[in-house]
Amino acid sequence: MPAEKDEAKEPRARPRLIIFMASFLVSHSTLFSVVCCIAGLIALLLLPILAKSTYISENALMPGSANPVFSGQDVSEASRLVKDITETQKMGKTTGIEIQRLIIQRMADVGAEVYYHKFQSQSNQFHPFRFFSCDSNSAVTESNSNTSNGLNTVGIIRAPRGDGKEAIVLVTPYNSEYVKLNDALSLGLGFSIFSHLSRVSWLAKDILWLAADSRYGEYSSVSAWLKDYHNPVFFSSENVDANVTHDKDFLNMENKNMLNGRNVDVFKRAGTMAAAMVFKVGEAMERDPRDILTIYAEASNGQMPNLDLINVVHYLAVHRQGFRVNIGKLASLVNSAWLNLVGQILEWLGNLAKNLNPKWNFGISSADYAEGAATVASSMYHQALGVPTGSHGAFRDYQVDAITFSFSSRFYLNNENMQSSFILRGGRLIEGVIRSVNNLLEKFHQSFFLYMMTAPNKFVSVGVYMIGFALLALPLPVVAASLFLNHKATGFTGTEEAKIAFGSWQWLYAAKTVLMIDLWALIASLMPYFISQIPNISPTESTLLWVALSVSILAVLYVILGSPYSHSAQIGALLIVPMCLVVRPLKKHMQGALILRALSLVCNLVMVVIGFPPAALLLMKGFSEGFEGVGIGAVWEVAEFLWVWNSATYLYVFLVHLPCWVLCIHILLHP
Amino acid sequence: MVRPWILLLLLLLAISPPSHSSTVHNNNWAVLVCTSRFWFNYRHMANTLSLYRTVKRLGIPDERIILMLADDMACNARNSYPAQVFNNENHMLNLYGDNVEVDYRGYEVTVENFLRVLTGRHETAVPRSKRLLSDEGSHILVYMTGHGGDEFLKFQDNEELQSHDLADAVKQMKEKHRFKELLIMVDTCQAATLFSQLQSPGVLAIGSSKKGENSYSHHLDSDIGVSVVDRFTYYTLAFFEKLNMYSNASLSSLFNSYDSHLLMSTASYREDLYRRPLSEVPVTNFFGSVMKTFHTDFAYTGFSMEPEAHISLVSETDSRRTLGSENAQTEAANHNAKDNCPFHAWLKVLEDKLDNENAEKLVLYGLGSMVLLLAISTLLSV
């Protein structure tokens, strides 16, 4: 290509460097894309090595600079509540809200403002036209057919000398149907911190404690409360009350809703939320020399809380309270053989570099590598999936930095002494985090929002991980350009006029194909809403129905709009950036050696199978769980899961990936 | 009657010869600036308040201290000791007691206001208490603390004072005879860079750290949850706590007391603009208000301290003569009286007269006439 150009432009000056480079790249597109893809993969594999240690970047936080004063007295406060809860539990239920009443009584006793928050937990309805919006006011008026009621209890401590403009939120989810010991303990922990904070003199932000009734899921109770917090209703409150209370005699009506002469049904607010912490006591873990704190941070659609918040919790937990901090990792990867092999290679390379120059110290041990890779893979998976890993996700929807941490003791918590020392350290940790956040003068803004963790104290920032992705994506436009030029060169070697005609108009056919397929994809992505309206339908049937409908619509569209012009689809595929670079029309691409041809054919077929989202999903499920239990219904379940959580992955799969795949098929079957 | 008198005196003052550069040190001023705000900079306010307390203790009165503070610590909601500020974790000394006069508070602490204070170029509405009313006999201490860098000092995370700004301001002060000697003391990172541009004579400067060095806090108060004092200031205070107003410790002993291991930075000073040897200058020259006293023969001599202001005295008598033409009595007194005050002169005349006559006789006659007057007045009233 450049040679041809040079011949054509011989009398003129040499082309500018950038044009020369571009044409060079385009002419060597195959080599270039192979190199880029390999480099991208290597960059992704190197992420655990490129990770930096975390550091606290906001000066105001000063974690651990004040000694926690959470004391044994507060612990006994917690144990008392735990005891009361278990006793109430034993007495059996009469009204269904004994626990809530107990908590609210205790909160009122320490002088807090308290209220009940009634909410309706509706199974999250997929609505295609309301995808990313949080439907605020319509929720109340929706039909009650599949709703159920929950009752959160909320307490507010006003900062004695604060301005009341900001608040820190503590959340303890518990199952109010049946309170297990660990739920009772987390309630006890929450309450002891709350009562402790009601006595301290250093609060600058109000404290909100939400004891979230999570019998219908942790997320829904918290998000319902947040929705009400951020959407004040000024006149229809009685309406809502009537709705709720007349359903069942859920709260035993008027006289019980007064506490110490104050109405506890009135929704009260504190200021803007500076940060939120969801904490719970988990089951006793496997034997470990230290108690374990597990941090969950991923919110919906890959949003993360500010890294500083995680850093503060990690710093205080490890350096002050002696916890071991865990973050999620894909356990199956840690022991995978090939990851360990890569780790060993990298370790060997690191040692080699160290021998060459002692200053080059980037090697990590293969075990660390595997651990880091598993963690980063989990980080990537959760961020890509777009489903929050806990009820902190609800906060992120309102731009509040929040994390969930769960304590798990190394001993069984029935032991009284162990229990109290465990609560003491947990309480001190939370007090420390609150004191640190309390020092903040602005919203969290100093540290990173786009990052992936490779260890509790190591992270990869967006600037680093984007290199790998950029390298992977770079070949696409280059190959597109080269295909376009090849097409021009081989397809229309005729007259100059024909070239111009093609250049100006014939791409329209390609665009039409692309538009048609995109339209189809849009229809296919909206279809589940209508399918889910059909009552009594099994996942498998839904899937089949979905596929059948989609295929038939595709066929209809093909007939109506189709009659794709020769070659045009090739360019069309390039317009929307195809998912794979190897696709060539089966019939056309038949010169060269037999082996190459066979290789190309096999590659194409494999790509086509893997690239089809349902197939990929089933394959993945099959590999991870065994092929016996995998049915087509799983596809429907996963899709449902994605749209229930408003995951952007759903949109990506149906509006980008699927059309690309169809276009690839189109190219493959091209005459 | 009064106005010409004042006018004449003003005239005399204008006539009196301009004083030469070696004016006697006659007052002390201090400008104490904390240039940061926000809770986590608690220590800077504690630094400034500690120094405020020290210079007050050593004798600089409140009206001669310009204190510039963000002042957002004592009543900060995060302060677990409301309305108190400490510079030590033992909490023995509340720096924010009953008697703290903050002249520039909160957002008033700006580079502009600081330079206006130094140069004295205020708007007319600025009260006297917020002005640096120094003169050519003043010794001024300028203490600054906050966050700085190479040749600059941050003011409240908002603006910067650069070293040449400071040098220009000092130069202007010198031109305007606003100081005799000036000590600039800076406790920030890379503090020595801040006074690298100074060029006015009579200026002495000391900073907590050299270029490229950080200044560190001394210790953390785990009750309050913040660092409460910086190292440089802490050891400065430790030096001064041993002293009182009458101590003779010299500046060189102060400057040599900084141990770079304890400071974790190198305190560096600049003395090339200062003429006197540091070992002969007592610290109270800047940090206190101890002055040389001159004995004068007269308890109160109007407008000039110096006995050699002779010309003015002579001309004063001249002026009095012109005044005297209006009043015969004072004119008579002026002839033989050396006293300045006409009333005193009149008394003296009376005394002289009394000495000459027979005083007893005069008294007797007087009493007699008073008895007579009394008798007549009672008769009339009955």
Side-chain angles (χ1 to χ4, degrees):
Chain A
M1 181 78 36
E4 190 185 280
K5 257 186 192 168
D6 282 352
E7 277 170 23
K9 293 171 187 172
E10 224 169 25
R12 289 190 217 163
R14 266 174 68 95
R16 291 176 60 191
L17 182 66
I18 188 159
I19 295 171
F20 174 75
M21 278 176 67
S23 59
F24 179 80
L25 278 184
V26 168
S27 59
H28 297 85
S29 63
T30 319
L31 180 69
F32 176 71
S33 49
V34 167
V35 168
C36 271
C37 281
I38 291 173
L41 279 176
I42 289 176
L44 286 184
L45 283 176
L46 281 178
L47 282 183
I49 289 177
L50 296 174
K52 284 192 289 186
S53 290
T54 54
Y55 55 94
I56 287 166
S57 104
E58 169 68 85
N59 280 330
L61 281 169
M62 301 185 292
S65 61
N67 281 342
V69 273
F70 186 87
S71 64
Q73 197 194 339
D74 299 303
V75 173
S76 63
E77 201 70 77
S79 336
R80 219 149 43 93
L81 184 68
V82 171
K83 208 171 285 173
D84 286 356
I85 288 173
T86 38
E87 268 165 28
T88 318
Q89 194 81 33
K90 271 179 203 152
M91 287 199 323
K93 58 174 59 181
T94 50
T95 57
I97 58 160
E98 296 88 358
I99 308 285
Q100 281 94 334
R101 205 173 288 157
L102 182 69
I103 296 168
I104 215 161
Q105 184 64 52
R106 287 296 176 81
M107 284 199 287
D109 287 347
V110 298
E113 291 177 28
V114 292
Y115 63 93
Y116 291 117
H117 169 246
K118 289 170 242 118
F119 66 96
Q120 298 165 311
S121 156
Q122 63 252 4
S123 60
N124 216 333
Q125 281 296 336
F126 174 68
H127 201 288
F129 302 112
R130 218 186 287 145
F131 198 72
F132 285 113
S133 64
C134 22
D135 38 353
S136 50
N137 298 318
S138 54
V140 179
T141 49
E142 267 175 25
S143 67
N144 286 336
S145 59
N146 50 0
T147 59
S148 32
N149 297 306
L151 190 66
N152 291 330
T153 40
V154 187
I156 304 174
I157 298 172
R158 304 285 176 191
R161 285 174 291 128
D163 53 9
K165 285 180 185 156
E166 285 179 301
I168 301 170
V169 187
L170 302 174
V171 183
T172 43
Y174 68 102
N175 183 358
S176 65
E177 296 269 273
Y178 175 71
V179 184
K180 283 188 287 185
L181 177 64
N182 54 350
D183 273 357
L185 273 173
S186 56
L187 280 176
L189 180 62
F191 173 67
S192 59
I193 290 160
F194 190 72
S195 74
H196 172 70
L197 290 175
S198 72
R199 292 190 302 271
V200 298
S201 60
W202 43 259
L203 280 183
K205 303 188 198 315
D206 298 347
I207 300 291
L208 278 159
W209 180 36
L210 169 67
D213 180 359
S214 60
R215 69 181 115 167
Y216 307 109
E218 290 175 14
Y219 186 89
S220 63
S221 58
V222 176
S223 74
W225 178 73
L226 279 170
K227 197 186 283 171
D228 287 351
Y229 190 95
H230 289 98
N231 298 290
V233 181
F234 292 109
F235 31 88
S236 66
S237 64
E238 280 148 37
N239 196 4
V240 181
D241 274 356
N243 236 344
V244 178
T245 44
H246 290 312
D247 272 358
K248 312 160 191 180
D249 49 347
F250 192 67
L251 287 177
N252 294 10
M253 288 316 287
E254 297 85 13
N255 53 348
K256 296 243 168 81
N257 293 345
M258 304 293 281
L259 188 78
N260 302 345
R262 271 181 290 175
N263 189 353
V264 290
D265 282 339
V266 179
F267 200 97
K268 300 179 188 74
R269 292 177 176 81
T272 327
M273 295 170 186
M277 272 171 280
V278 185
F279 55 91
K280 48 195 179 184
V281 178
E283 307 281 350
M285 294 281 275
E286 82 278 15
R287 295 269 161 179
D288 191 274
R290 286 195 282 173
D291 294 341
I292 293 174
L293 184 79
T294 316
I295 296 180
Y296 304 93
E298 287 88 359
S300 53
N301 288 323
Q303 299 180 84
M304 296 292 278
N306 195 286
L307 188 55
D308 267 344
L309 185 60
I310 296 177
N311 290 345
V312 167
V313 174
H314 175 263
Y315 175 82
L316 289 172
V318 172
H319 298 287
R320 298 296 151 124
Q321 305 304 333
F323 284 97
R324 197 164 74 79
V325 175
N326 261 353
I327 53 174
K329 60 185 162 205
L330 297 180
S332 55
L333 279 184
V334 179
N335 298 321
S336 82
W338 68 271
L339 206 58
N340 275 303
L341 180 71
V342 174
Q344 269 156 12
I345 293 171
L346 288 173
E347 189 182 354
W348 178 78
L349 281 176
N351 287 336
L352 189 73
K354 210 173 173 181
N355 287 338
L356 289 176
N357 184 345
K359 278 180 192 166
W360 297 344
N361 193 9
F362 55 81
I364 57 173
S365 74
S366 64
D368 282 352
Y369 176 81
E371 192 100 342
T375 316
V376 92
S378 144
S379 238
M380 227 184 268
Y381 169 73
H382 283 297
Q383 290 187 23
L385 192 63
V387 177
T389 48
S391 42
H392 58 271
F395 285 95
R396 194 62 229 175
D397 295 343
Y398 297 90
Q399 308 306 314
V400 179
D401 294 286
I403 54 170
T404 298
F405 41 91
S406 96
F407 302 95
S408 27
S409 163
R410 73 203 128 139
F411 295 104
Y412 292 105
L413 288 166
N414 302 330
N415 184 331
E416 285 272 321
N417 286 336
M418 284 304 138
Q419 192 178 308
S420 63
S421 100
F422 182 67
I423 287 179
L424 185 70
R425 290 190 298 132
R428 287 191 168 168
L429 169 66
I430 296 168
E431 188 202 338
V433 177
I434 287 176
R435 188 142 192 193
S436 189
V437 173
N438 184 57
N439 283 339
L440 275 185
L441 299 153
E442 305 163 83
K443 242 172 94 76
F444 278 106
H445 66 281
Q446 284 275 358
S447 198
F448 294 89
F449 283 99
L450 299 168
Y451 56 88
M452 291 189 287
M453 307 295 285
T454 65
N457 59 348
K458 288 205 159 188
F459 75 105
V460 188
S461 79
V462 60
V464 175
Y465 70 67
M466 281 312 282
I467 295 172
F469 290 130
L471 282 173
L472 283 178
L474 200 57
L476 297 182
V478 173
V479 172
S482 105
L483 278 180
F484 179 74
L485 291 175
N486 279 336
H487 175 91
K488 232 159 87 169
T490 56
F492 287 85
T493 44
T495 56
E496 198 74 4
E497 288 90 327
K499 246 182 205 175
I500 291 165
F502 174 80
S504 47
W505 295 111
Q506 298 214 326
W507 59 270
L508 268 181
Y509 293 100
K512 193 180 79 178
T513 315
V514 171
L515 271 178
M516 190 265 294
I517 287 174
D518 263 346
L519 185 68
W520 167 78
L522 193 66
I523 294 170
S525 72
L526 298 185
M527 230 176 277
Y529 173 64
F530 302 103
I531 296 175
S532 67
Q533 299 289 314
I534 306 167
N536 305 327
I537 188 163
S538 80
T540 315
E541 285 164 0
S542 317
T543 316
L544 290 176
L545 189 61
W546 191 10
V547 171
L549 278 174
S550 304
V551 169
S552 57
I553 288 173
L554 184 62
V556 168
L557 280 174
Y558 242 78
V559 172
I560 297 172
L561 303 169
S563 65
Y565 189 71
S566 64
H567 303 287
S568 63
Q570 205 174 25
I571 305 155
L574 308 173
L575 280 176
I576 195 167
V577 185
M579 68 178 158
C580 47
L581 302 164
V582 291
V583 170
R584 296 280 188 280
L586 278 178
K587 284 187 186 165
K588 192 187 168 199
H589 176 75
M590 282 302 145
Q591 60 266 61
L594 184 70
I595 298 173
L596 267 179
R597 249 185 288 165
L599 195 67
S600 153
L601 186 68
V602 169
C603 275
N604 278 333
L605 287 179
V606 167
M607 283 294 197
V608 163
V609 172
I610 292 178
F612 185 52
L617 177 83
L618 292 178
L619 275 174
M620 249 170 64
K621 264 199 154 8
F623 276 116
S624 57
E625 295 161 17
F627 281 95
E628 294 82 39
V630 178
I632 301 175
V635 177
W636 177 262
E637 280 162 10
V638 169
E640 196 176 43
F641 178 68
L642 287 180
W643 52 251
V644 159
W645 288 101
N646 277 347
S647 169
T649 312
Y650 181 79
L651 288 188
Y652 164 74
V653 167
F654 282 96
L655 297 185
V656 180
H657 197 97
L658 196 63
C660 282
W661 181 77
V662 174
L663 281 174
C664 285
I665 298 284
H666 187 92
I667 295 167
L668 214 57
L669 302 178
H670 194 266
Chain B
M1 149 128 202
V2 182
R3 202 178 289 162
W5 173 247
I6 290 177
L7 275 173
L8 278 167
L9 283 180
L10 283 176
L11 199 95
L12 288 175
L13 279 176
I15 288 165
S16 66
S19 57
H20 25 89
S21 59
S22 61
T23 322
V24 192
H25 166 213
N26 55 16
N27 56 54
N28 268 88
W29 286 81
V31 182
L32 311 175
V33 195
C34 161
T35 66
S36 52
R37 62 188 299 124
F38 309 133
W39 175 240
F40 57 93
N41 292 321
Y42 184 97
R43 61 182 187 279
H44 294 142
M45 177 164 164
N47 287 345
T48 316
L49 283 175
S50 318
L51 223 83
Y52 171 75
R53 178 185 163 277
T54 304
V55 295
K56 250 171 99 172
R57 191 172 63 83
L58 293 179
I60 305 185
D62 239 341
E63 66 262 23
R64 292 195 177 166
I65 302 175
I66 308 290
L67 184 56
M68 303 177 92
L69 280 184
D71 205 12
D72 56 348
M73 302 303 156
C75 297
N76 198 307
R78 296 166 184 86
N79 190 353
S80 40
Y81 294 87
Q84 298 180 69
V85 175
F86 298 105
N87 67 353
N88 199 312
E89 62 178 341
N90 61 18
H91 298 172
M92 300 281 276
L93 175 68
N94 175 20
L95 297 169
Y96 206 75
D98 304 325
N99 209 3
V100 177
E101 268 185 36
V102 184
D103 297 295
Y104 289 84
R105 169 176 272 127
Y107 291 111
E108 288 179 342
V109 185
T110 58
V111 172
E112 182 186 335
N113 278 345
F114 175 67
L115 294 179
R116 281 186 186 283
V117 165
L118 288 189
T119 53
R121 299 168 67 176
H122 291 283
E123 282 177 31
T124 43
V126 174
R128 283 175 66 82
S129 64
K130 293 177 120 178
R131 294 174 185 234
L132 180 71
L133 298 168
S134 58
D135 54 39
E136 56 202 324
S138 304
H139 284 188
I140 305 178
L141 165 72
V142 177
Y143 174 83
M144 289 182 277
T145 178
H147 292 286
D150 192 1
E151 308 230 346
F152 72 89
L153 176 63
K154 274 204 295 185
F155 268 62
Q156 304 205 343
D157 269 8
N158 187 35
E159 48 185 356
E160 287 161 8
L161 172 78
Q162 299 200 350
S163 56
H164 56 255
D165 298 335
L166 184 67
D168 287 350
V170 170
K171 198 172 181 183
Q172 198 176 133
M173 287 169 81
K174 189 73 203 172
E175 293 285 317
K176 290 172 144 183
H177 304 292
R178 286 175 63 77
F179 68 86
K180 180 163 186 285
E181 287 176 9
L182 176 67
L183 170 61
I184 300 175
M185 192 175 210
V186 192
D187 187 354
T188 75
C189 299
Q190 315 200 35
T193 59
L194 195 65
F195 42 75
S196 59
Q197 310 276 338
L198 292 175
Q199 46 189 328
S200 313
V203 181
L204 189 61
I206 179 156
S208 57
S209 49
K210 289 198 298 193
K211 182 174 177 171
E213 281 183 342
N214 285 340
S215 297
Y216 294 96
S217 64
H218 185 261
H219 67 270
L220 182 95
D221 186 323
S222 48
D223 264 1
I224 305 178
V226 284
S227 304
V228 287
V229 69
D230 277 319
R231 281 175 180 269
F232 178 73
T233 307
Y234 180 86
Y235 290 107
T236 310
L237 295 173
F239 178 83
F240 279 111
E241 282 306 301
K242 291 176 284 187
L243 306 183
N244 59 25
M245 220 185 282
Y246 310 105
S247 314
N248 271 329
S250 67
L251 276 178
S252 65
S253 70
L254 169 67
F255 290 0
N256 293 330
S257 74
Y258 298 117
D259 180 352
S260 57
H261 291 291
L262 292 175
L263 245 54
M264 294 164 76
S265 61
T266 325
S268 52
Y269 54 90
R270 188 168 165 200
E271 53 167 343
D272 54 336
L273 301 168
Y274 195 72
R275 295 207 197 92
R276 293 196 279 164
L278 293 184
S279 53
E280 288 169 19
V281 185
V283 284
T284 48
N285 219 17
F286 290 106
F287 291 90
S289 191
V290 182
M291 267 152 288
K292 236 179 234 168
T293 28
F294 292 98
H295 181 73
T296 50
D297 294 334
F298 308 104
Y300 179 69
T301 57
F303 297 93
S304 177
M305 297 279 286
E306 316 286 311
E308 67 255 36
H310 224 40
I311 317 151
S312 64
L313 266 184
V314 173
S315 57
E316 232 172 327
T317 41
D318 288 346
S319 72
R320 201 136 314 130
R321 201 176 296 142
T322 51
L323 269 174
S325 63
E326 287 171 19
N327 194 325
Q329 285 176 341
T330 42
E331 194 183 32
N334 256 333
H335 280 302
N336 48 1
K338 273 183 189 165
D339 257 336
N340 304 333
C341 181
F343 182 65
H344 281 251
W346 163 242
L347 272 181
K348 205 155 190 180
V349 172
L350 209 68
E351 266 173 26
D352 289 348
K353 290 243 165 100
L354 282 175
D355 278 345
N356 294 341
E357 309 288 326
N358 193 343
E360 275 184 35
K361 217 181 248 177
L362 192 74
V363 172
L364 271 178
Y365 280 130
L367 280 175
S369 63
M370 275 175 74
V371 168
L372 206 71
L373 271 173
L374 200 71
I376 292 167
S377 65
T378 40
L379 263 175
L380 283 173
S381 62
V382 169

